[in-house]
Amino acid sequence: MWKTEHSAETTARPSSVWEVLADADGWPSWNPGIASAHLDGPLQNGTTGRTTQATGRQGQFVVMDVQEGACFVNQAKVPGAVLRFQHKIEALEQSRIRVTLGATFEGPMAQLWGLLIGRSIAGYMPTAVRQLVARAQSVSNDPE
């Protein structure tokens, strides 16, 4: 197994973070690893989607383990492994939340995939979390 994860804390409303996460078409605006993304339906278990990575590599994924307002996983199969991206929102004390993005490769070729593209994922993940939190903070500050 190969794994990377990054977190940031914010005072953004959890619903604002969820709104940003649920908008797959908007992922490229805060995630530098993604050039384009699209969900083929609502963010729920079994919904499929597709991405084009910043490198130009295209892929398809399926959404899993959705807990509305708290977390979801999108999973893609690659030769010899499964790539999973985790998205989590956790309540903390004093109106703060922790936002975590993570990625894992599991399977017989996981370590190889970690070497081939995992370094890139680990490299952009801190920026993605920081920009996700900033976007959610601006959504939180918008008048409702």
Side-chain angles (χ1 to χ4, degrees):
M1 183 171 151
W2 176 92
K3 179 179 181 176
T4 189
E5 184 176 272
H6 192 78
S7 298
E9 293 183 12
T10 181
T11 56
R13 292 187 310 262
S15 61
S16 297
V17 176
W18 188 256
E19 180 181 332
V20 174
L21 285 173
D23 176 21
D25 291 319
W27 293 350
S29 68
W30 54 265
N31 188 331
I34 299 176
S36 70
H38 183 73
L39 275 175
D40 300 324
L43 182 63
Q44 62 187 26
N45 290 332
T47 299
T48 58
R50 56 193 175 283
T51 59
T52 301
Q53 304 302 312
T55 60
R57 180 185 172 103
Q58 296 181 343
Q60 296 183 341
F61 64 89
V62 63
V63 176
M64 318 171 48
D65 302 328
V66 176
Q67 293 178 32
E68 181 79 25
C71 63
F72 72 94
V73 172
N74 50 308
Q75 175 178 294
K77 293 182 180 180
V78 295
V82 173
L83 170 60
R84 291 185 183 95
F85 284 96
Q86 298 86 24
H87 312 77
K88 297 181 210 169
I89 303 166
E90 300 170 89
L92 302 173
E93 296 177 352
Q94 302 173 348
S95 300
R96 296 188 63 78
I97 60 170
R98 179 180 300 119
V99 178
T100 303
L101 298 179
T104 60
F105 283 105
E106 294 182 45
M109 304 288 285
Q111 292 301 323
L112 178 60
W113 281 106
L115 289 172
L116 291 173
I117 63 172
R119 290 181 192 176
S120 173
I121 294 169
Y124 70 68
M125 190 136 328
T127 301
V129 172
R130 186 174 59 251
Q131 293 181 160
L132 166 61
V133 165
R135 176 65 50 98
Q137 191 68 50
S138 72
V139 170
S140 286
N141 292 333
D142 286 346
E144 294 186 57

